[in-house]
Amino acid sequence: MPIEVEVRVQGEEITIDFTGTAPQVRGPVNAVPAGVMAGAFFAIRAVTGPEIPNNGGCFRPLHLVLPEGSLLNPRPPAAVNARTATVKILTNAILGALAQALPERIPAANAGASVIMALSGRNPDGSTYVVTEAMQGGSGASAIGPGVAAVSTDVGNTMNQPVEAMETDAPVRVHRLGIRRGSGGAGRNRGGDGAVRDYEVLRGPLTLTFRGERHMHAARGAAGGGDGAMAQAWIQRRDGSREEIRSKLSTVLQTGDRLVMATAGGGGWGEAE
């Protein structure tokens, strides 16, 4: 699902053109224009003066070109529930375009996703539960320092859920929550590392809905820095078999199955010295 962006500046007017972006898809990763606006507003504010107030006048010079029927402006009744990853990727794309003019001010690409994982099922008393986890990745390094590990970047506003909360609300045991060491891109300043989380199902069946990103395309380094490691996720079944998750999945987990998630690292900045 390519997202192509061109940023044009003419006087005080800024146009962000997504004409080359892929058409809308049947899956829920289409983004609504409001989400695209949020990503664009963030990107522009990130490279402009902090003294500028966040009001309507601040954003009035910004114009978006969003072709109807595209991934970023779908026609109803297009599914849009999993749009978060798409908005994060398009934000990376805008910053990448701006980096061509402002290489010292723009960091390398970040993990580009909050991995959204939901577990749902029925308790022994007949009641139902749904627990959602948003898991973070690494931020990109910049000219002034390394990236940050396991952090919510750009348009995200959620953090990793405490282990105790997950184990209270769902029949799982969290065997590991930690930093994915070495997953940030190499460089003069290293990219931020991703995170690792390992769940064991204590009482099945339960339904897993997994919406990841960066499983096939790494966060690019900048100014000669290396790319971050791509995300990985898999299910270790109770019988010993292993099922790889290729970014998106809905399946059923049984008692004794384990889910392992390793989020992407951010890109490095500058050639390693």
Side-chain angles (χ1 to χ4, degrees):
M1 298 180 297
I3 295 176
E4 295 185 10
V5 60
E6 180 183 359
V7 180
R8 299 190 294 270
V9 179
Q10 185 173 8
E12 296 182 352
E13 302 295 312
I14 302 172
T15 300
I16 301 179
D17 190 339
F18 291 97
T19 299
T21 295
Q24 69 186 64
V25 296
R26 293 185 61 188
V29 297
N30 302 288
V32 295
V36 181
M37 290 173 63
F41 288 171
F42 164 81
I44 296 302
R45 289 299 289 114
V47 299
T48 52
E51 71 282 357
I52 300 174
N54 289 317
N55 57 30
C58 172
F59 299 116
R60 195 169 297 127
L62 182 62
H63 305 280
L64 302 182
V65 179
L66 300 173
E68 185 178 0
S70 70
L71 186 69
L72 307 182
N73 187 13
R75 299 184 182 93
V80 298
N81 180 258
R83 63 189 178 276
T84 301
T86 303
V87 173
K88 283 181 167 289
I89 292 296
L90 73 87
T91 303
N92 266 303
I94 296 172
L95 290 172
L98 293 172
Q100 297 179 49
L102 302 168
E104 295 292 322
R105 296 185 61 181
I106 308 294
N110 59 53
S114 290
V115 176
I116 306 298
M117 185 275 296
L119 301 174
S120 61
R122 190 173 297 276
N123 293 308
D125 63 2
S127 63
T128 58
Y129 63 87
V130 179
V131 181
T132 300
E133 168 81 293
M135 192 170 172
Q136 316 306 331
S139 70
S142 68
I144 62 174
V148 180
V151 66
S152 181
T153 57
D154 46 69
V155 291
N157 61 358
T158 58
M159 300 299 289
N160 298 309
Q161 184 171 196
V163 168
E164 295 80 4
M166 173 61 74
E167 293 183 336
T168 298
D169 294 335
V172 298
R173 176 180 292 119
V174 181
H175 285 272
R176 181 186 179 193
L177 169 60
I179 302 300
R180 188 186 178 194
R181 300 294 179 187
S183 56
R188 192 177 84 196
N189 294 322
R190 289 195 63 91
D193 289 331
V196 178
R197 200 179 276 246
D198 180 352
Y199 304 83
E200 178 187 1
V201 178
L202 302 181
R203 186 184 67 248
L206 59 79
T207 299
L208 163 69
T209 301
F210 184 91
R211 292 176 290 192
E213 195 53 76
R214 292 286 192 204
H215 284 243
M216 289 166 268
H217 300 280
R220 294 289 182 87
D227 297 346
M230 290 186 287
Q232 293 179 309
W234 65 90
I235 299 168
Q236 194 74 39
R237 296 290 185 181
R238 182 174 53 183
D239 62 8
S241 61
R242 172 167 160 157
E243 300 175 17
E244 299 290 337
I245 298 176
R246 290 177 54 81
S247 181
K248 313 290 189 294
L249 178 72
S250 182
T251 190
V252 175
L253 302 179
Q254 302 292 344
T255 302
D257 290 345
R258 292 174 73 154
L259 168 66
V260 181
M261 302 188 299
T263 60
W269 196 95
E271 295 184 6
E273 297 178 348

